[in-house]
Amino acid sequence: MGRQPCCEKVGLKKGPWTAEEDQKLVTFLLSHGHCCWRLVPKLAGLLRCGKSCRLRWTNYLRPDLKRGLLSEEEEALVIDLHAQLGNRWSKIAARLPGRTDNEIKNHWNTHIKKKLKKMGIDPVTHRPLAQPLAPPLTQQRDPAPQVREEGERCDEPSKQQASSQGPAAGGADEDEDEEEITPASAAQPHGAGATTSSPASAAAGAVSPSCSSSCASASAATPGADVAAWPDPIDLFFEVDGIMDMDWAGILSGCGDDAAVDIGAVDLFDHYPGDGFDEQVWM
DNA sequence: AACATGGTCAACCGCAGTCGC
DNA sequence: TGCGACTGCGGTTGACCATGT
């Protein structure tokens, strides 16, 4: 369908975002939300395309983001989920509150892949590298687990819970996840969910407090590594979400093309005292 | 100290999916 | 039903930083 580029590429800025741009975007989104990304840059007074704004917001500016390396538990969960879902980073990310698909994807490519290879596991199929295709089912089911057996994984199982409830137990969104098992998973028996749990089972759900610091943080932020208990990321996520329901009509009507809404007066940090949003960053 | 190499991560690109007309 | 607009996703790129020589 002959579609137009997401934005007129002329005159639009590309590349790294400046602090000023970030601030404009955040200020705008926190005070007005976004109705359609296309309009955001215009209204916020940015020379970026909407797509770029969306990306910047979701991958970096969202106040609920956790920064820093993935904890071992999170990593293990990612492996587990990857075994079931394949490269569906967004779905995987959905199970890791505070993490973005981009972040997970990067971490997978730079860290996890290597680790798995080192251990002789094919990061794609989650099976032993040397193993010819189509090994017996029994064997297929254990990719992730192996990882753990190799011992590199967190001595503790904690994350497992997540996994255990993760996809399988998940609930709500499970529906799709379950049916949408990917090639990888295809390769993998799909009972993946259930099975995968192997890891999970192995882990046996006991969240070991011992788990590294990261663990702590992980669980803290991830209420419980317990998916069932996971806050709706959405809940956490926003208060801001409310934003998305704001009176756009008003805003839009109030501004023409060139109209960069006067958002200067808004103190965005008022919305996010503390938590994930570090005011310092902006100053 | 200078250069080369490798690793990491933010950002871009283009396609696919969804929705409304 | 078909088309266009828009969003979301996954793959890829490139800049920056750290480490090694």
Side-chain angles (χ1 to χ4, degrees), chain A residues 10 57 105 118 133 152 174 199 214 216 219 242 268:
Chain A
V10 265
W57 172 256
K105 180 171 58 181
K118 245 186 186 173
L133 287 179
E152 214 169 284
E174 270 30 80
S214 41
S219 42
L268 64 150

Coordinates of all heavy atoms in Angstrom, one line a residue, chain A residues 10 57 105 118 133 152 174 199 214 216 219 242 268:
Chain A
V10 N 12.2 15.7 5.7 CA 13.0 16.9 5.5 C 12.9 17.7 6.8 O 11.9 18.0 7.4 CB 12.4 17.7 4.4 CG1 13.1 17.5 3.2 CG2 10.9 17.4 4.3
W57 N 10.4 7.8 24.2 CA 9.6 7.8 25.4 C 9.6 6.3 25.9 O 9.8 6.1 27.1 CB 8.2 8.2 25.0 CG 7.2 8.0 26.1 CD1 6.2 7.1 26.2 CD2 7.1 8.8 27.3 NE1 5.5 7.2 27.3 CE2 6.0 8.2 28.1 CE3 7.8 9.9 27.9 CZ2 5.6 8.7 29.3 CZ3 7.4 10.4 29.1 CH2 6.3 9.8 29.8
K105 N 16.2 -7.0 24.1 CA 16.8 -7.5 22.9 C 18.3 -7.3 22.9 O 19.1 -8.1 22.5 CB 16.1 -6.7 21.7 CG 16.6 -7.1 20.4 CD 15.7 -6.4 19.3 CE 15.7 -4.9 19.4 NZ 14.9 -4.3 18.4
K118 N 28.5 -20.3 24.9 CA 29.6 -20.8 25.7 C 29.2 -22.1 26.3 O 30.0 -23.0 26.5 CB 29.9 -19.8 26.8 CG 31.3 -19.1 26.7 CD 31.5 -18.3 27.9 CE 32.8 -17.5 27.8 NZ 32.9 -16.5 29.0
L133 N 19.1 -31.6 14.4 CA 17.7 -31.1 14.6 C 16.8 -32.3 15.0 O 17.1 -33.4 14.8 CB 17.2 -30.5 13.3 CG 17.9 -29.2 13.1 CD1 17.4 -28.6 11.8 CD2 17.6 -28.3 14.2
E152 N 25.4 -21.7 35.6 CA 25.7 -20.3 35.5 C 24.6 -19.5 36.0 O 24.7 -18.3 36.2 CB 26.0 -20.0 34.1 CG 27.0 -19.0 34.2 CD 27.5 -18.7 32.9 OE1 28.3 -19.5 32.4 OE2 27.2 -17.7 32.4
E174 N -2.2 -14.5 28.6 CA -1.7 -15.8 28.2 C -2.3 -16.2 27.0 O -1.8 -16.8 26.1 CB -2.1 -16.8 29.3 CG -1.1 -16.8 30.3 CD -0.4 -15.5 30.4 OE1 -1.0 -14.7 31.1 OE2 0.6 -15.3 30.0
P199 N 12.3 -25.3 34.2 CA 13.2 -24.4 34.9 C 12.4 -24.1 36.1 O 12.9 -24.1 37.2 CB 13.3 -23.3 34.0 CG 12.3 -23.5 33.0 CD 11.8 -24.9 33.0
S214 N 20.6 -7.8 42.8 CA 19.7 -7.5 41.7 C 18.4 -8.1 42.0 O 17.4 -7.6 41.7 CB 20.3 -8.1 40.5 OG 20.8 -9.4 40.8
A216 N 17.0 -8.5 44.6 CA 16.2 -7.7 45.5 C 15.5 -6.6 44.7 O 14.3 -6.5 44.7 CB 17.1 -7.0 46.5
S219 N 12.8 -8.0 42.5 CA 11.6 -8.4 43.1 C 10.9 -7.1 43.6 O 9.7 -7.1 43.7 CB 11.8 -9.4 44.1 OG 12.9 -9.1 44.9
G242 N -3.3 7.9 32.7 CA -4.4 8.7 32.8 C -4.2 9.8 31.8 O -5.2 10.3 31.1
L268 N 6.9 19.0 35.3 CA 6.8 17.6 35.2 C 7.2 16.8 36.4 O 6.6 15.8 36.6 CB 7.5 17.1 34.0 CG 9.0 17.2 34.1 CD1 9.6 16.1 33.3 CD2 9.5 18.5 33.5

